[in-house]
Amino acid sequence: MSRNANGRSSIYEDADGVWHGWVTVGVKANGKPDRRHRRGATKTIVTKKVEDLERMRDEGRAPALGQKPSVRKWFLFWLENIAPLTASEATIINVYRPKVINRIIPGIGEHRLDRLGPEHLEVFYSTLKRSGLSSKTILDYHRMISRSLKMAHRRKLVTVNVATMIDAPSHVDTEIEPLLQEDARAILDQASALRNGARWSVAFALGLRQAEALGMRWRYVDLEKGQLRVFQLKRRGFAHGCGDPVACVKTRHKDTCGPDCVGHARYCPERGGGEWEFRKPKGRKTRPVPIPEPLIPLLRAHKAAQAAERLAAGSAWEDRDLVFCRPDGRPIDARDDWGSWQSLLEAAGVPPARLHDARHTAATLLLEQGVDIRVVQEILGHSSLAMTKRYTHVTSRLARDAADRMGKALWG
C-alpha cells in the first residue's frame, strides 16, 4: 500500500490477514505526532474504528494517552491536586476527604474511570440512602462527583460526564427557623454585661458568619461612616508530622472512618499547621456592610474596654488588630466561641439553638422590615438569590401583607 501524506489516517492488512488503522489525533508533549492504533479482523471493522476516532478527534474528545485510571486513582488525584485550587482547606479536610475515602472509594473506586456508567452511580446513591444518609447529604455527594468528573471530561479521560446522565438525587430544603425577636432581645440583654458582649450584637445586627465576626479588624471598621469590610479568620488544618499517620491516631477513629483514614492530625504529637490566617469570605470578595446606628456606640465602648485590656496586658499582648479577641489579644477559637453562645442561651432562658441561627435571625428581621431581598443578599453575602429566598416563611408573610394593602387600596 502506498504511503499516506503526513497526518492522514491509514488502513492496511498485514501478512497474517489482520487489518490495522492509524489515526493522528494531535501532538505529543515532545512534539512528535500522536498516532493511535486500531485493529480488527476485517477492513470494514477497522474502517469504522478509524472513522469513530477521527470524529472524536475533530470534536475534541480524543482519549488521552496511557492507561485509564480507576475511579479511586482519579478521585485521590482530584482531591490532592485539583479541588484545593478552588475549595478551602477546611472543605477539603472536613467535607471532600471523608466522602472520598469513606464512601466513594469503597463504593465505586474499583471501576475504571472511563467505564463508570450512570447505573453505577444510581446503585451507589441507593446504597447511601439505605445506609441512612439524608437526601441533602446524598445530593452533596452527587454534586461533588459531578464536579470531579467534569474535570476528567475536560482532560479527555472520559468521553462524557456520566453524572449528567442521571437525575440529581431529590432534596427539598427545610424551612429556616430563626430565633424569635423577643429571644434575640433577651440574648442581647444578657450579653450587655459580658466581656466581648458586642460580639453578639454584631451576630444579630449584621448577620456575619462566625469566622467573619471573629475575623473583624479595627482597620476595616469605620465607625464614623458606619461601615465595615468583611474578612474571615480561620485556622489552617493540622498535618501529621509522623511517619505513619494511620497508626498514629488509630484510637481516635470514628465509626465512619475507613481503614486508610489519615485524619485526626490534631492529635499527632509531631503535628504541624494550625496557624491563623485572614481570608476573603465566601464568594471570594470582601463586601462592605453598613452598621446600624445603635450598634456604633456599643462598638465604641467595646474598643475603649479593649484598649484598657491591652494596657493591662503590656508586653504579653499579641496585636492582631482584632475587634474580638482573648484578654491577651490572641484570636478566639471557634469552639470557645460556640461554647460562649451556648452559655449565653442558657443564661437568657432561650431554648438551644445553633450559632448560625443568629445569622438566620438577622436575615429574617431585615426582610420583615421591608428591605429588598437583593439588598439582603448583598448584606449577608449569599452567593445566589436562591439562598436568600429560602426564607419562605418571611416572604410569604410579606406577600400576605402586600395583598392586604392592595385590598384596602381598592376596596377600602
Side-chain angles (χ1 to χ4, degrees):
M1 188 180 77
S2 61
R3 180 185 179 94
N4 285 351
N6 288 340
R8 295 284 299 277
S9 301
S10 60
I11 300 175
Y12 63 90
E13 183 182 21
D14 63 18
D16 297 324
V18 178
W19 285 84
H20 301 266
W22 288 90
V23 180
T24 301
V25 299
V27 180
K28 296 180 180 179
N30 60 7
K32 293 183 179 180
D34 182 2
R35 301 265 295 170
R36 307 293 177 86
H37 178 238
R38 296 293 184 267
R39 61 182 295 169
T42 67
K43 183 177 181 180
T44 301
I45 292 175
V46 174
T47 299
K48 178 66 166 58
K49 290 182 177 181
V50 166
E51 290 174 346
D52 289 344
L53 185 53
E54 287 177 333
R55 183 170 59 256
M56 293 174 66
R57 174 199 62 195
D58 296 341
E59 295 174 354
R61 299 187 295 111
L65 284 171
Q67 185 178 5
K68 293 294 187 294
S70 64
V71 171
R72 178 184 188 277
K73 185 175 181 180
W74 166 252
F75 269 85
L76 288 175
F77 177 83
W78 174 82
L79 184 66
E80 297 296 332
N81 301 282
I82 300 177
L85 298 178
T86 54
S88 68
E89 185 179 35
T91 299
I92 298 296
I93 294 174
N94 299 323
V95 181
Y96 289 172
R97 180 176 292 279
K99 282 181 168 58
V100 170
I101 299 298
N102 302 331
R103 297 282 189 171
I104 293 177
I105 289 179
I108 56 176
E110 298 308 311
H111 290 288
R112 211 173 82 172
L113 185 63
D114 62 329
R115 293 178 180 172
L116 182 69
E119 66 278 5
H120 299 136
L121 294 184
E122 291 166 338
V123 171
F124 176 58
Y125 297 153
S126 296
T127 302
L128 294 181
K129 185 176 182 178
R130 287 194 298 272
S131 71
L133 294 186
S134 68
S135 59
K136 175 64 167 61
T137 301
I138 298 173
L139 180 59
D140 289 341
Y141 270 96
H142 175 73
R143 288 170 174 168
M144 189 182 74
I145 290 173
S146 181
R147 191 176 300 118
S148 177
L149 293 180
K150 179 180 180 180
M151 298 306 298
H153 182 231
R154 286 181 179 177
R155 299 177 185 213
K156 302 177 183 178
L157 295 174
V158 296
T159 58
V160 64
N161 178 354
V162 296
T164 64
M165 299 173 66
I166 64 175
D167 292 331
S170 60
H171 169 70
V172 178
D173 287 324
T174 57
E175 186 173 325
I176 292 171
E177 291 295 339
L179 293 168
L180 299 175
Q181 185 173 343
E182 51 267 31
D183 287 340
R185 288 182 172 177
I187 291 171
L188 294 184
D189 287 343
Q190 190 68 34
S192 61
L194 300 178
R195 181 183 176 276
N196 280 337
R199 154 68 182 114
W200 310 112
S201 296
V202 164
F204 284 111
L206 305 181
L208 299 184
R209 301 175 178 91
Q210 183 188 40
E212 295 171 348
L214 298 181
M216 286 175 58
R217 285 177 284 176
W218 288 115
R219 75 188 71 172
Y220 297 113
V221 178
D222 190 335
L223 296 178
E224 297 299 326
K225 294 182 178 179
Q227 182 174 284
L228 63 85
R229 296 196 70 83
V230 178
F231 290 85
Q232 287 186 333
L233 178 63
K234 289 199 172 183
R235 201 168 196 162
R236 290 185 59 84
F238 290 99
H240 281 277
C242 58
D244 189 353
V246 175
C248 174
V249 287
K250 59 183 178 181
T251 59
R252 295 283 184 175
H253 291 331
K254 302 176 183 179
D255 294 339
T256 56
C257 292
D260 299 325
C261 177
V262 294
H264 321 291
R266 171 186 293 272
Y267 306 104
C268 175
E270 303 175 50
R271 68 180 182 269
E275 302 87 3
W276 291 99
E277 62 181 12
F278 292 99
R279 304 175 186 171
K280 291 183 178 181
K282 286 187 176 182
R284 305 295 181 183
K285 66 176 182 178
T286 58
R287 66 186 189 276
V289 176
I291 304 174
E293 187 66 33
L295 180 57
I296 294 177
L298 296 180
L299 289 174
R300 290 190 191 277
H302 172 71
K303 190 173 186 179
Q306 188 182 89
E309 284 186 341
R310 180 173 184 165
L311 186 63
S315 60
W317 183 267
E318 187 177 305
D319 189 12
R320 292 177 181 259
D321 194 38
L322 291 169
V323 174
F324 303 112
C325 59
R326 297 175 183 270
D328 60 0
R330 292 185 298 126
I332 299 174
D333 188 83
R335 294 186 180 186
D336 295 335
D337 185 61
W338 179 86
S340 299
W341 167 255
Q342 297 301 319
S343 299
L344 186 58
L345 291 178
E346 184 177 358
V350 176
R354 301 175 306 164
L355 177 54
H356 205 70
D357 289 336
R359 176 172 165 84
H360 293 326
T361 304
T364 300
L365 293 176
L366 285 169
L367 289 169
E368 286 182 340
Q369 306 313 308
V371 179
D372 184 84
I373 192 169
R374 293 187 181 276
V375 177
V376 176
Q377 176 194 357
E378 184 66 24
I379 292 175
L380 297 183
H382 284 161
S383 58
S384 68
L385 191 60
M387 295 185 66
T388 316
K389 287 181 177 179
R390 290 178 62 200
Y391 297 88
T392 54
H393 59 291
V394 181
T395 53
S396 62
R397 285 204 300 268
L398 295 178
R400 179 71 265 169
D401 180 61
D404 291 342
R405 292 185 184 183
M406 179 62 72
K408 291 180 181 178
L410 294 176
W411 293 284

PDB file of all heavy atoms in Angstrom, residues 105-133:
ATOM      1  N   ILE A 105     -14.624   5.730  47.385  1.00  0.00           N
ATOM      2  CA  ILE A 105     -13.655   4.685  47.021  1.00  0.00           C
ATOM      3  C   ILE A 105     -14.180   3.289  47.355  1.00  0.00           C
ATOM      4  O   ILE A 105     -14.131   2.391  46.494  1.00  0.00           O
ATOM      5  CB  ILE A 105     -12.295   4.962  47.688  1.00  0.00           C
ATOM      6  CG1 ILE A 105     -11.632   6.169  47.017  1.00  0.00           C
ATOM      7  CG2 ILE A 105     -11.389   3.736  47.614  1.00  0.00           C
ATOM      8  CD1 ILE A 105     -10.301   6.559  47.602  1.00  0.00           C
ATOM      9  N   PRO A 106     -14.721   3.052  48.556  1.00  0.00           N
ATOM     10  CA  PRO A 106     -15.284   1.717  48.802  1.00  0.00           C
ATOM     11  C   PRO A 106     -16.486   1.394  47.922  1.00  0.00           C
ATOM     12  O   PRO A 106     -16.720   0.225  47.599  1.00  0.00           O
ATOM     13  CB  PRO A 106     -15.704   1.782  50.281  1.00  0.00           C
ATOM     14  CG  PRO A 106     -14.885   2.869  50.876  1.00  0.00           C
ATOM     15  CD  PRO A 106     -14.735   3.885  49.777  1.00  0.00           C
ATOM     16  N   GLY A 107     -17.238   2.416  47.514  1.00  0.00           N
ATOM     17  CA  GLY A 107     -18.461   2.182  46.752  1.00  0.00           C
ATOM     18  C   GLY A 107     -18.249   1.958  45.264  1.00  0.00           C
ATOM     19  O   GLY A 107     -18.796   1.021  44.679  1.00  0.00           O
ATOM     20  N   ILE A 108     -17.452   2.824  44.622  1.00  0.00           N
ATOM     21  CA  ILE A 108     -17.280   2.736  43.160  1.00  0.00           C
ATOM     22  C   ILE A 108     -15.814   2.844  42.745  1.00  0.00           C
ATOM     23  O   ILE A 108     -15.512   2.972  41.556  1.00  0.00           O
ATOM     24  CB  ILE A 108     -18.085   3.850  42.451  1.00  0.00           C
ATOM     25  CG1 ILE A 108     -17.694   5.243  42.985  1.00  0.00           C
ATOM     26  CG2 ILE A 108     -19.586   3.624  42.609  1.00  0.00           C
ATOM     27  CD1 ILE A 108     -18.378   6.394  42.251  1.00  0.00           C
ATOM     28  N   GLY A 109     -14.897   2.775  43.694  1.00  0.00           N
ATOM     29  CA  GLY A 109     -13.491   3.052  43.412  1.00  0.00           C
ATOM     30  C   GLY A 109     -12.799   2.090  42.487  1.00  0.00           C
ATOM     31  O   GLY A 109     -11.809   2.448  41.848  1.00  0.00           O
ATOM     32  N   GLU A 110     -13.284   0.841  42.377  1.00  0.00           N
ATOM     33  CA  GLU A 110     -12.582  -0.148  41.561  1.00  0.00           C
ATOM     34  C   GLU A 110     -12.957  -0.097  40.084  1.00  0.00           C
ATOM     35  O   GLU A 110     -12.336  -0.776  39.260  1.00  0.00           O
ATOM     36  CB  GLU A 110     -12.835  -1.551  42.118  1.00  0.00           C
ATOM     37  CG  GLU A 110     -12.321  -1.747  43.545  1.00  0.00           C
ATOM     38  CD  GLU A 110     -10.862  -1.335  43.699  1.00  0.00           C
ATOM     39  OE1 GLU A 110     -10.038  -1.758  42.874  1.00  0.00           O
ATOM     40  OE2 GLU A 110     -10.559  -0.560  44.630  1.00  0.00           O
ATOM     41  N   HIS A 111     -13.961   0.677  39.714  1.00  0.00           N
ATOM     42  CA  HIS A 111     -14.306   0.826  38.292  1.00  0.00           C
ATOM     43  C   HIS A 111     -13.209   1.591  37.565  1.00  0.00           C
ATOM     44  O   HIS A 111     -12.586   2.498  38.126  1.00  0.00           O
ATOM     45  CB  HIS A 111     -15.623   1.595  38.135  1.00  0.00           C
ATOM     46  CG  HIS A 111     -16.827   0.838  38.569  1.00  0.00           C
ATOM     47  ND1 HIS A 111     -17.356  -0.222  37.861  1.00  0.00           N
ATOM     48  CD2 HIS A 111     -17.627   0.980  39.659  1.00  0.00           C
ATOM     49  CE1 HIS A 111     -18.415  -0.687  38.484  1.00  0.00           C
ATOM     50  NE2 HIS A 111     -18.604   0.025  39.580  1.00  0.00           N
ATOM     51  N   ARG A 112     -12.949   1.219  36.324  1.00  0.00           N
ATOM     52  CA  ARG A 112     -12.077   2.050  35.504  1.00  0.00           C
ATOM     53  C   ARG A 112     -12.841   3.323  35.182  1.00  0.00           C
ATOM     54  O   ARG A 112     -14.037   3.271  34.891  1.00  0.00           O
ATOM     55  CB  ARG A 112     -11.677   1.321  34.225  1.00  0.00           C
ATOM     56  CG  ARG A 112     -10.293   1.727  33.735  1.00  0.00           C
ATOM     57  CD  ARG A 112      -9.850   0.886  32.583  1.00  0.00           C
ATOM     58  NE  ARG A 112     -10.395   1.347  31.312  1.00  0.00           N
ATOM     59  CZ  ARG A 112     -10.033   0.877  30.129  1.00  0.00           C
ATOM     60  NH1 ARG A 112      -9.123  -0.086  30.068  1.00  0.00           N
ATOM     61  NH2 ARG A 112     -10.580   1.333  29.024  1.00  0.00           N
ATOM     62  N   LEU A 113     -12.161   4.447  35.246  1.00  0.00           N
ATOM     63  CA  LEU A 113     -12.850   5.734  35.169  1.00  0.00           C
ATOM     64  C   LEU A 113     -13.689   5.860  33.905  1.00  0.00           C
ATOM     65  O   LEU A 113     -14.832   6.321  33.955  1.00  0.00           O
ATOM     66  CB  LEU A 113     -11.821   6.873  35.239  1.00  0.00           C
ATOM     67  CG  LEU A 113     -12.399   8.287  35.300  1.00  0.00           C
ATOM     68  CD1 LEU A 113     -13.226   8.466  36.569  1.00  0.00           C
ATOM     69  CD2 LEU A 113     -11.278   9.320  35.250  1.00  0.00           C
ATOM     70  N   ASP A 114     -13.142   5.446  32.762  1.00  0.00           N
ATOM     71  CA  ASP A 114     -13.871   5.606  31.503  1.00  0.00           C
ATOM     72  C   ASP A 114     -14.965   4.553  31.324  1.00  0.00           C
ATOM     73  O   ASP A 114     -15.715   4.613  30.340  1.00  0.00           O
ATOM     74  CB  ASP A 114     -12.910   5.567  30.317  1.00  0.00           C
ATOM     75  CG  ASP A 114     -12.175   4.244  30.207  1.00  0.00           C
ATOM     76  OD1 ASP A 114     -11.922   3.619  31.260  1.00  0.00           O
ATOM     77  OD2 ASP A 114     -11.852   3.831  29.081  1.00  0.00           O
ATOM     78  N   ARG A 115     -15.043   3.593  32.243  1.00  0.00           N
ATOM     79  CA  ARG A 115     -16.095   2.584  32.172  1.00  0.00           C
ATOM     80  C   ARG A 115     -17.138   2.768  33.266  1.00  0.00           C
ATOM     81  O   ARG A 115     -18.029   1.931  33.423  1.00  0.00           O
ATOM     82  CB  ARG A 115     -15.483   1.186  32.258  1.00  0.00           C
ATOM     83  CG  ARG A 115     -14.621   0.847  31.042  1.00  0.00           C
ATOM     84  CD  ARG A 115     -13.984  -0.515  31.168  1.00  0.00           C
ATOM     85  NE  ARG A 115     -13.153  -0.818  29.999  1.00  0.00           N
ATOM     86  CZ  ARG A 115     -12.358  -1.870  29.901  1.00  0.00           C
ATOM     87  NH1 ARG A 115     -12.283  -2.743  30.909  1.00  0.00           N
ATOM     88  NH2 ARG A 115     -11.621  -2.063  28.813  1.00  0.00           N
ATOM     89  N   LEU A 116     -17.008   3.842  34.029  1.00  0.00           N
ATOM     90  CA  LEU A 116     -18.022   4.160  35.027  1.00  0.00           C
ATOM     91  C   LEU A 116     -19.297   4.578  34.318  1.00  0.00           C
ATOM     92  O   LEU A 116     -19.288   5.480  33.477  1.00  0.00           O
ATOM     93  CB  LEU A 116     -17.528   5.293  35.931  1.00  0.00           C
ATOM     94  CG  LEU A 116     -18.470   5.717  37.059  1.00  0.00           C
ATOM     95  CD1 LEU A 116     -18.577   4.611  38.116  1.00  0.00           C
ATOM     96  CD2 LEU A 116     -17.985   7.023  37.701  1.00  0.00           C
ATOM     97  N   GLY A 117     -20.397   3.929  34.637  1.00  0.00           N
ATOM     98  CA  GLY A 117     -21.654   4.217  33.963  1.00  0.00           C
ATOM     99  C   GLY A 117     -22.662   4.885  34.884  1.00  0.00           C
ATOM    100  O   GLY A 117     -22.507   4.868  36.108  1.00  0.00           O
ATOM    101  N   PRO A 118     -23.698   5.483  34.313  1.00  0.00           N
ATOM    102  CA  PRO A 118     -24.729   6.125  35.139  1.00  0.00           C
ATOM    103  C   PRO A 118     -25.403   5.145  36.083  1.00  0.00           C
ATOM    104  O   PRO A 118     -25.788   5.513  37.193  1.00  0.00           O
ATOM    105  CB  PRO A 118     -25.710   6.692  34.099  1.00  0.00           C
ATOM    106  CG  PRO A 118     -25.444   5.939  32.843  1.00  0.00           C
ATOM    107  CD  PRO A 118     -24.002   5.591  32.865  1.00  0.00           C
ATOM    108  N   GLU A 119     -25.525   3.873  35.660  1.00  0.00           N
ATOM    109  CA  GLU A 119     -26.161   2.889  36.535  1.00  0.00           C
ATOM    110  C   GLU A 119     -25.328   2.620  37.786  1.00  0.00           C
ATOM    111  O   GLU A 119     -25.872   2.313  38.851  1.00  0.00           O
ATOM    112  CB  GLU A 119     -26.405   1.578  35.768  1.00  0.00           C
ATOM    113  CG  GLU A 119     -25.155   0.835  35.340  1.00  0.00           C
ATOM    114  CD  GLU A 119     -24.541   1.368  34.049  1.00  0.00           C
ATOM    115  OE1 GLU A 119     -25.039   2.393  33.536  1.00  0.00           O
ATOM    116  OE2 GLU A 119     -23.576   0.744  33.562  1.00  0.00           O
ATOM    117  N   HIS A 120     -24.001   2.778  37.674  1.00  0.00           N
ATOM    118  CA  HIS A 120     -23.147   2.583  38.849  1.00  0.00           C
ATOM    119  C   HIS A 120     -23.411   3.682  39.883  1.00  0.00           C
ATOM    120  O   HIS A 120     -23.420   3.422  41.098  1.00  0.00           O
ATOM    121  CB  HIS A 120     -21.678   2.590  38.434  1.00  0.00           C
ATOM    122  CG  HIS A 120     -21.312   1.501  37.480  1.00  0.00           C
ATOM    123  ND1 HIS A 120     -20.516   1.704  36.377  1.00  0.00           N
ATOM    124  CD2 HIS A 120     -21.676   0.193  37.444  1.00  0.00           C
ATOM    125  CE1 HIS A 120     -20.373   0.578  35.714  1.00  0.00           C
ATOM    126  NE2 HIS A 120     -21.078  -0.355  36.342  1.00  0.00           N
ATOM    127  N   LEU A 121     -23.610   4.901  39.405  1.00  0.00           N
ATOM    128  CA  LEU A 121     -23.917   5.997  40.327  1.00  0.00           C
ATOM    129  C   LEU A 121     -25.283   5.815  40.961  1.00  0.00           C
ATOM    130  O   LEU A 121     -25.464   6.084  42.155  1.00  0.00           O
ATOM    131  CB  LEU A 121     -23.859   7.340  39.589  1.00  0.00           C
ATOM    132  CG  LEU A 121     -22.481   7.781  39.074  1.00  0.00           C
ATOM    133  CD1 LEU A 121     -22.577   9.169  38.452  1.00  0.00           C
ATOM    134  CD2 LEU A 121     -21.444   7.764  40.183  1.00  0.00           C
ATOM    135  N   GLU A 122     -26.250   5.355  40.177  1.00  0.00           N
ATOM    136  CA  GLU A 122     -27.597   5.156  40.718  1.00  0.00           C
ATOM    137  C   GLU A 122     -27.598   4.103  41.830  1.00  0.00           C
ATOM    138  O   GLU A 122     -28.234   4.280  42.875  1.00  0.00           O
ATOM    139  CB  GLU A 122     -28.550   4.766  39.587  1.00  0.00           C
ATOM    140  CG  GLU A 122     -28.819   5.910  38.615  1.00  0.00           C
ATOM    141  CD  GLU A 122     -29.481   5.456  37.334  1.00  0.00           C
ATOM    142  OE1 GLU A 122     -29.381   4.258  36.989  1.00  0.00           O
ATOM    143  OE2 GLU A 122     -30.103   6.302  36.661  1.00  0.00           O
ATOM    144  N   VAL A 123     -26.855   3.016  41.612  1.00  0.00           N
ATOM    145  CA  VAL A 123     -26.753   1.983  42.647  1.00  0.00           C
ATOM    146  C   VAL A 123     -26.034   2.538  43.871  1.00  0.00           C
ATOM    147  O   VAL A 123     -26.417   2.263  45.016  1.00  0.00           O
ATOM    148  CB  VAL A 123     -26.021   0.743  42.097  1.00  0.00           C
ATOM    149  CG1 VAL A 123     -25.716  -0.251  43.220  1.00  0.00           C
ATOM    150  CG2 VAL A 123     -26.854   0.063  41.017  1.00  0.00           C
ATOM    151  N   PHE A 124     -24.988   3.343  43.635  1.00  0.00           N
ATOM    152  CA  PHE A 124     -24.215   3.939  44.730  1.00  0.00           C
ATOM    153  C   PHE A 124     -25.097   4.850  45.583  1.00  0.00           C
ATOM    154  O   PHE A 124     -25.079   4.782  46.819  1.00  0.00           O
ATOM    155  CB  PHE A 124     -23.037   4.715  44.153  1.00  0.00           C
ATOM    156  CG  PHE A 124     -22.213   5.447  45.181  1.00  0.00           C
ATOM    157  CD1 PHE A 124     -21.611   4.772  46.228  1.00  0.00           C
ATOM    158  CD2 PHE A 124     -22.053   6.820  45.092  1.00  0.00           C
ATOM    159  CE1 PHE A 124     -20.855   5.454  47.178  1.00  0.00           C
ATOM    160  CE2 PHE A 124     -21.302   7.513  46.033  1.00  0.00           C
ATOM    161  CZ  PHE A 124     -20.701   6.825  47.077  1.00  0.00           C
ATOM    162  N   TYR A 125     -25.894   5.696  44.936  1.00  0.00           N
ATOM    163  CA  TYR A 125     -26.769   6.604  45.677  1.00  0.00           C
ATOM    164  C   TYR A 125     -27.842   5.827  46.448  1.00  0.00           C
ATOM    165  O   TYR A 125     -28.211   6.208  47.565  1.00  0.00           O
ATOM    166  CB  TYR A 125     -27.429   7.608  44.734  1.00  0.00           C
ATOM    167  CG  TYR A 125     -26.456   8.528  44.031  1.00  0.00           C
ATOM    168  CD1 TYR A 125     -26.760   9.090  42.797  1.00  0.00           C
ATOM    169  CD2 TYR A 125     -25.229   8.825  44.597  1.00  0.00           C
ATOM    170  CE1 TYR A 125     -25.875   9.930  42.152  1.00  0.00           C
ATOM    171  CE2 TYR A 125     -24.327   9.657  43.956  1.00  0.00           C
ATOM    172  CZ  TYR A 125     -24.656  10.206  42.728  1.00  0.00           C
ATOM    173  OH  TYR A 125     -23.762  11.037  42.095  1.00  0.00           O
ATOM    174  N   SER A 126     -28.347   4.741  45.859  1.00  0.00           N
ATOM    175  CA  SER A 126     -29.335   3.915  46.563  1.00  0.00           C
ATOM    176  C   SER A 126     -28.720   3.287  47.809  1.00  0.00           C
ATOM    177  O   SER A 126     -29.371   3.187  48.855  1.00  0.00           O
ATOM    178  CB  SER A 126     -29.863   2.820  45.632  1.00  0.00           C
ATOM    179  OG  SER A 126     -30.559   3.372  44.534  1.00  0.00           O
ATOM    180  N   THR A 127     -27.449   2.889  47.698  1.00  0.00           N
ATOM    181  CA  THR A 127     -26.748   2.325  48.852  1.00  0.00           C
ATOM    182  C   THR A 127     -26.583   3.368  49.947  1.00  0.00           C
ATOM    183  O   THR A 127     -26.753   3.070  51.140  1.00  0.00           O
ATOM    184  CB  THR A 127     -25.376   1.792  48.421  1.00  0.00           C
ATOM    185  OG1 THR A 127     -25.547   0.811  47.396  1.00  0.00           O
ATOM    186  CG2 THR A 127     -24.648   1.158  49.596  1.00  0.00           C
ATOM    187  N   LEU A 128     -26.255   4.585  49.558  1.00  0.00           N
ATOM    188  CA  LEU A 128     -26.117   5.662  50.536  1.00  0.00           C
ATOM    189  C   LEU A 128     -27.440   5.917  51.254  1.00  0.00           C
ATOM    190  O   LEU A 128     -27.478   6.140  52.467  1.00  0.00           O
ATOM    191  CB  LEU A 128     -25.644   6.944  49.854  1.00  0.00           C
ATOM    192  CG  LEU A 128     -24.239   6.944  49.240  1.00  0.00           C
ATOM    193  CD1 LEU A 128     -23.929   8.304  48.625  1.00  0.00           C
ATOM    194  CD2 LEU A 128     -23.186   6.583  50.273  1.00  0.00           C
ATOM    195  N   LYS A 129     -28.533   5.868  50.487  1.00  0.00           N
ATOM    196  CA  LYS A 129     -29.846   6.109  51.082  1.00  0.00           C
ATOM    197  C   LYS A 129     -30.197   5.018  52.086  1.00  0.00           C
ATOM    198  O   LYS A 129     -30.709   5.292  53.181  1.00  0.00           O
ATOM    199  CB  LYS A 129     -30.907   6.190  49.980  1.00  0.00           C
ATOM    200  CG  LYS A 129     -32.290   6.552  50.491  1.00  0.00           C
ATOM    201  CD  LYS A 129     -33.271   6.711  49.342  1.00  0.00           C
ATOM    202  CE  LYS A 129     -34.651   7.117  49.865  1.00  0.00           C
ATOM    203  NZ  LYS A 129     -35.609   7.317  48.738  1.00  0.00           N
ATOM    204  N   ARG A 130     -29.902   3.754  51.732  1.00  0.00           N
ATOM    205  CA  ARG A 130     -30.210   2.645  52.639  1.00  0.00           C
ATOM    206  C   ARG A 130     -29.357   2.693  53.901  1.00  0.00           C
ATOM    207  O   ARG A 130     -29.761   2.181  54.951  1.00  0.00           O
ATOM    208  CB  ARG A 130     -30.009   1.306  51.924  1.00  0.00           C
ATOM    209  CG  ARG A 130     -31.079   0.982  50.894  1.00  0.00           C
ATOM    210  CD  ARG A 130     -31.017  -0.477  50.488  1.00  0.00           C
ATOM    211  NE  ARG A 130     -29.745  -0.809  49.860  1.00  0.00           N
ATOM    212  CZ  ARG A 130     -29.496  -0.694  48.563  1.00  0.00           C
ATOM    213  NH1 ARG A 130     -30.467  -0.266  47.749  1.00  0.00           N
ATOM    214  NH2 ARG A 130     -28.327  -1.019  48.062  1.00  0.00           N
ATOM    215  N   SER A 131     -28.184   3.328  53.801  1.00  0.00           N
ATOM    216  CA  SER A 131     -27.314   3.417  54.971  1.00  0.00           C
ATOM    217  C   SER A 131     -27.788   4.477  55.963  1.00  0.00           C
ATOM    218  O   SER A 131     -27.207   4.611  57.047  1.00  0.00           O
ATOM    219  CB  SER A 131     -25.877   3.726  54.530  1.00  0.00           C
ATOM    220  OG  SER A 131     -25.768   5.062  54.051  1.00  0.00           O
ATOM    221  N   GLY A 132     -28.815   5.247  55.562  1.00  0.00           N
ATOM    222  CA  GLY A 132     -29.393   6.226  56.483  1.00  0.00           C
ATOM    223  C   GLY A 132     -28.967   7.652  56.238  1.00  0.00           C
ATOM    224  O   GLY A 132     -29.350   8.548  57.005  1.00  0.00           O
ATOM    225  N   LEU A 133     -28.196   7.923  55.191  1.00  0.00           N
ATOM    226  CA  LEU A 133     -27.789   9.290  54.909  1.00  0.00           C
ATOM    227  C   LEU A 133     -28.980  10.113  54.439  1.00  0.00           C
ATOM    228  O   LEU A 133     -29.877   9.605  53.765  1.00  0.00           O
ATOM    229  CB  LEU A 133     -26.692   9.321  53.842  1.00  0.00           C
ATOM    230  CG  LEU A 133     -25.336   8.708  54.216  1.00  0.00           C
ATOM    231  CD1 LEU A 133     -24.332   8.946  53.112  1.00  0.00           C
ATOM    232  CD2 LEU A 133     -24.816   9.267  55.528  1.00  0.00           C
TER     233      LEU A 133
END
